Amino acid sequence: MSRFGPRNLPYGVFSGDDGVRRVGVRLDDTVVDLSDVDELCRRPTLNPLMAAGPARWARLRRAAREHVVDAPRIPLRAVRLHLPFEVADYTDFYSSEQHARRVGQILRPDRAALPPSWRHLPIGYHGRSATVVVSGTPIPRPYGQRGAGDFGPTRRLDIEAEVGFVVGVPGDRIPTAAFADHVFGVVLVNDWSARDIQAFEYQPLGPFLGKSFATSVSPWVVPLAALATRPAALQEPEPVDYLRPAGPGFDIRLAVEWNGTQVASPPYAQMYWTAAQQLAHLTVNGARVRTGDLYASGTVSGSRRDQAGSFLELTWNGTEPVTLADGSRRGFLLDGDTVTIHGVAAGADGADIGLGSVSGTVVGQSLFEAADTP
Amino acid sequence: MSRFGPRNLPYGVFSGDDGVRRVGVRLDDTVVDLSDVDELCRRPTLNPLMAAGPARWARLRRAAREHVVDAPRIPLRAVRLHLPFEVADYTDFYSSEQHARRVGQILRPDRAALPPSWRHLPIGYHGRSATVVVSGTPIPRPYGQRGAGDFGPTRRLDIEAEVGFVVGVPGDRIPTAAFADHVFGVVLVNDWSARDIQAFEYQPLGPFLGKSFATSVSPWVVPLAALATRPAALQEPEPVDYLRPAGPGFDIRLAVEWNGTQVASPPYAQMYWTAAQQLAHLTVNGARVRTGDLYASGTVSGSRRDQAGSFLELTWNGTEPVTLADGSRRGFLLDGDTVTIHGVAAGADGADIGLGSVSGTVVGQSLFEAADTP
């Protein structure tokens, strides 16, 4: 049974031969144009629809379900998929305890694995919204300082498999209970990371160039209404008031493919902090979210090593390479490597639904070679 | 002699009784409307003009100088000044050695005052572009976790006096020598900071809610062409290639007023990393800057304590309060306090020019009191 049946109907922005961008839904391996269903779908991004709010979203979803029964279908291979929304602010969290613990062990072995505030608030930081790109966009290997005086292409290019939440309705001081009044839907995120650049630069202000070169998102935004909810993970100690109740968890299963070999299966259901808590935290100080804000879960890593959402963890900082189907071994990404993250979720109507995939291929650059090589 | 004479002519966005926003220049204590001089000035933000590039900027500046001789002048008090540009990504650096050293001594007394990479690259982080506001916007005291389980209004509300650079022309991998091809002009920045919230949250991903509630900018963007350049500070060790040549320094003198008492005079000329180096660093990994990107110098602090651009330094984390003109003493900001940062610079034509001021008043909030008090 298709994971893109009428119970899913994720939204995307596509164009055909005329190059005009408009909003459609994915049905099986086709796209159904929604331009004639709602005038907000005759726009080049999802932002106007996302800004319109939950009542409009519900109405459109009902109308789309009826529409797709008889509507013309355009094969996916005949369209181009675009970045589905214009990104306002991009925020990335750090809400998998297994990820935070492993990264702490690897990068800061002399200190406690979890930072002092980790169980009290969802730690996060702001990323670069300009470099959020749609799945399929090539990922040039970034240059930077890998150590004192050591400039060149990163030698430790990594991924972070994450789930992203897309804000539709602006707001500030958003209680966890109002999560679904503001968040439009869910995408898959690969927050590409250059570990050597990041390690040299990140104290004390956090990741900067080690992250800001590219963040890929899947082209289909799955509406919250399509997803089943489940109880969130147990939290100890109990969080302070503004982080309660925790809000829903989601049973989203990721699968990470490295050149076609599945190397990891990160389970979102094991995340410590919920998306509702992340949004409440993000806005509790008065900061405003806008239509198009993207906030990502943080690397999704489960308790088993083969559930890790980064190669830093999976290969233990490159010291324990994985073997791909062609027999080659990898610690970090080589030029030409392709990473595809797939996602499947428990759907609101019972059956599993697809989140699609986010993919990117690493390309080498010689732009700086002349300056870089003596 | 006026610091806003025809040698300065900073750009801003204003509206009169009709509420229509348009671009003008400041001349003495008046605004001169440029709507009839260039159609790019009939827009609600500076972004279209900033995107048009240096040749257009130079042409408009020449035309504006001629125009203001006979043009009608509107008193400043008769207009409303708006956020002059739509902010794309907001980045904040940390490029005053004196500031970094003092903050290190205060917050991390057990470690080296300067982080390991500090003299090798301009450390920076991404901030929240949604909460950049124009001078005069009230600053609600932010709430957050001041420690484990300790939620409430910040008790250590601080300022950071900075100089901001506004990007006009998009680009990536921008050499230091191309600085003036991309940067449109300069504003004053106050990066309000909640030190208790920041201290609890910032490891390992950097400042987040301790900064993201408000960043104020001055309403007038002084074009680069109006500023004199000067040699940058000496850098030891010599930076890697992409950070050379250092590019111009600027003789910008800030003055910080706390409720009308001048408490500090931070000298931008003492900054270690230049704005050209910051832009080169920001983009060397392939990250793209867009029209409307704002990047700030980092807190401007000179070698003397009364040249510090933050109250954290000035009052040594509140332990050595300053005395204001009314005899009251302050460690950090109280509700009702007003901070105004003024700026003056050596002008390209010799005489000093004004950068105007950025001001904000702290307002208390009771929004969370019911939940906050037991």
Side-chain angles (χ1 to χ4, degrees), chain A residues 87-89 91-94 108 111 115-117 120-131 140 142-145 148-151 173 200-210 212-213 240-243 281-290 293 365 367-368 371, chain B residues 87-89 91-94 108 111 115-117 120-131 140 142-145 148-151 173 200-210 212-213 240-243 281-290 293 365 367-368 371:
Chain A
V87 183
D89 276 301
T91 312
D92 196 14
F93 285 92
Y94 190 60
R108 295 175 287 276
R111 281 191 263 167
S117 63
H120 298 282
L121 53 82
I123 290 177
Y125 71 101
H126 289 104
R128 190 161 190 80
S129 59
T131 42
Y143 279 60
Q145 292 192 45
D150 177 26
F151 177 80
R173 303 181 183 86
F200 186 58
E201 76 182 354
Y202 86 103
Q203 288 173 331
L205 301 186
F208 189 42
L209 297 197
S212 66
F213 57 96
V240 295
D241 282 354
Y242 77 88
L243 296 171
H281 183 63
L282 183 53
T283 58
V284 74
N285 67 342
R288 190 169 174 74
V289 289
R290 293 174 295 184
D293 266 35
Q365 301 184 77
L367 297 180
F368 290 98
Chain B
V87 184
D89 276 300
T91 312
D92 196 14
F93 285 92
Y94 189 58
R108 294 174 288 275
R111 282 190 262 166
S117 63
H120 298 282
L121 52 82
I123 291 177
Y125 71 102
H126 289 103
R128 189 160 194 81
S129 59
T131 43
Y143 280 60
Q145 293 191 46
D150 178 26
F151 177 79
R173 302 181 186 85
F200 187 58
E201 75 181 357
Y202 87 102
Q203 288 175 331
L205 301 186
F208 189 42
L209 298 197
S212 66
F213 58 97
V240 296
D241 282 354
Y242 77 87
L243 296 172
H281 183 63
L282 182 54
T283 58
V284 75
N285 68 342
R288 190 170 174 73
V289 289
R290 295 175 293 184
D293 266 35
Q365 301 184 76
L367 297 179
F368 290 99

Side-chain angles (χ1 to χ4, degrees), chain A residues 89 126 285-290, chain B residues 21 47 81-92 125-140 162 164-166 187-192 211-219 221 292-296 358-359:
Chain A
D89 276 301
H126 289 104
N285 67 342
R288 190 169 174 74
V289 289
R290 293 174 295 184
Chain B
R21 299 184 190 202
N47 294 54
L81 296 170
H82 302 274
L83 187 64
F85 53 97
E86 190 183 351
V87 184
D89 276 300
Y90 166 51
T91 312
D92 196 14
Y125 71 102
H126 289 103
R128 189 160 194 81
S129 59
T131 43
V132 176
V133 296
V134 72
S135 176
T137 306
I139 306 300
E162 311 194 18
F165 295 83
V166 188
V187 291
L188 301 175
V189 175
N190 184 349
D191 193 38
W192 304 88
K211 300 278 195 173
S212 66
F213 58 97
T215 302
S216 302
V217 299
S218 57
V221 184
D293 266 35
L294 170 66
Y295 68 97
V358 55
S359 189

Side-chain angles (χ1 to χ4, degrees), chain B residues 223-271:
Chain B
L224 282 191
L227 295 166
T229 60
R230 50 169 285 153
L234 187 71
Q235 297 175 335
E236 180 58 44
E238 191 174 48
V240 296
D241 282 354
Y242 77 87
L243 296 172
R244 290 186 295 173
F250 299 100
D251 180 19
I252 299 172
R253 283 102 61 192
L254 306 182
V256 180
E257 276 182 16
W258 197 335
N259 295 348
T261 303
Q262 183 172 324
V263 294
S265 51
Y268 178 82
Q270 288 188 26
M271 299 300 279

Side-chain angles (χ1 to χ4, degrees), chain A residues 35-338:
Chain A
S35 300
D36 293 336
V37 178
D38 188 319
E39 58 101 10
L40 294 182
C41 297
R42 289 194 290 274
R43 308 291 177 87
T45 74
L46 289 174
N47 293 51
L49 170 62
M50 299 198 309
R56 183 75 168 255
W57 305 340
R59 202 159 70 231
L60 176 59
R61 191 162 159 79
R62 282 193 303 272
R65 278 196 181 183
E66 289 178 19
H67 181 71
V68 298
V69 176
D70 295 315
R73 301 181 182 192
I74 312 163
L76 268 179
R77 64 175 181 280
V79 303
R80 180 164 169 210
L81 297 171
H82 303 274
L83 186 64
F85 53 96
E86 190 184 349
V87 183
D89 276 301
Y90 166 51
T91 312
D92 196 14
F93 285 92
Y94 190 60
S95 293
S96 155
E97 181 169 349
Q98 301 296 343
H99 172 70
R101 280 191 184 283
R102 288 201 198 98
V103 170
Q105 286 166 27
I106 294 168
L107 299 184
R108 295 175 287 276
D110 54 324
R111 281 191 263 167
L114 281 189
S117 63
W118 201 90
R119 287 175 171 278
H120 298 282
L121 53 82
I123 290 177
Y125 71 101
H126 289 104
R128 190 161 190 80
S129 59
T131 42
V132 176
V133 296
V134 71
S135 176
T137 306
I139 305 300
R141 178 178 297 272
Y143 279 60
Q145 292 192 45
R146 303 163 299 197
D150 177 26
F151 177 80
T154 176
R155 298 187 184 103
R156 294 180 180 267
L157 186 57
D158 195 1
I159 64 152
E160 294 194 335
E162 310 194 18
V163 175
F165 295 84
V166 188
V167 174
V169 178
D172 58 23
R173 303 181 183 86
I174 299 174
T176 57
F179 168 67
D181 298 332
H182 293 270
V183 170
F184 176 74
V186 169
V187 291
L188 301 175
V189 175
N190 185 348
D191 192 39
W192 304 89
S193 300
R195 299 300 181 191
D196 41 8
I197 296 171
Q198 183 184 350
F200 186 58
E201 76 182 354
Y202 86 103
Q203 288 173 331
L205 301 186
F208 189 42
L209 297 197
K211 300 278 195 173
S212 66
F213 57 96
T215 302
S216 302
V217 299
S218 57
W220 298 106
V221 184
V222 174
L224 282 191
L227 295 166
T229 58
R230 49 168 286 152
L234 186 71
Q235 295 174 335
E236 177 61 42
E238 190 175 47
V240 295
D241 282 354
Y242 77 88
L243 296 171
R244 290 185 294 171
F250 299 101
D251 180 20
I252 300 172
R253 282 101 62 192
L254 306 182
V256 179
E257 277 183 16
W258 196 336
N259 294 348
T261 303
Q262 183 173 323
V263 294
S265 51
Y268 179 82
Q270 288 187 25
M271 299 299 279
Y272 189 86
W273 295 106
T274 69
Q277 289 173 318
Q278 291 170 334
L279 185 61
H281 183 63
L282 183 53
T283 58
V284 74
N285 67 342
R288 190 169 174 74
V289 289
R290 293 174 295 184
T291 300
D293 266 35
L294 170 66
Y295 68 96
S297 59
T299 308
V300 179
S301 290
S303 46
R304 300 199 319 264
R305 271 279 283 285
D306 67 357
Q307 293 177 321
S310 73
F311 299 152
L312 177 71
E313 296 163 80
L314 190 69
T315 71
W316 212 254
N317 204 16
T319 60
E320 302 174 17
V322 294
T323 303
L324 305 184
D326 66 0
S328 65
R329 289 158 63 81
R330 291 286 190 288
F332 288 100
L333 287 159
L334 300 182
D335 289 349
D337 281 1
T338 296

Side-chain angles (χ1 to χ4, degrees), chain B residues 7-54:
Chain B
R7 296 171 173 196
N8 189 350
L9 298 186
Y11 295 101
V13 171
F14 73 99
S15 61
D17 292 338
D18 62 2
V20 177
R21 299 184 190 202
R22 47 200 187 272
V23 173
V25 285
R26 179 169 172 181
L27 183 68
D28 303 322
D29 288 329
T30 68
V31 181
V32 175
D33 189 342
L34 294 185
S35 301
D36 293 336
V37 178
D38 189 318
E39 56 104 10
L40 294 182
C41 297
R42 288 194 290 277
R43 307 290 178 89
T45 73
L46 289 173
N47 294 54
L49 170 62
M50 299 196 311

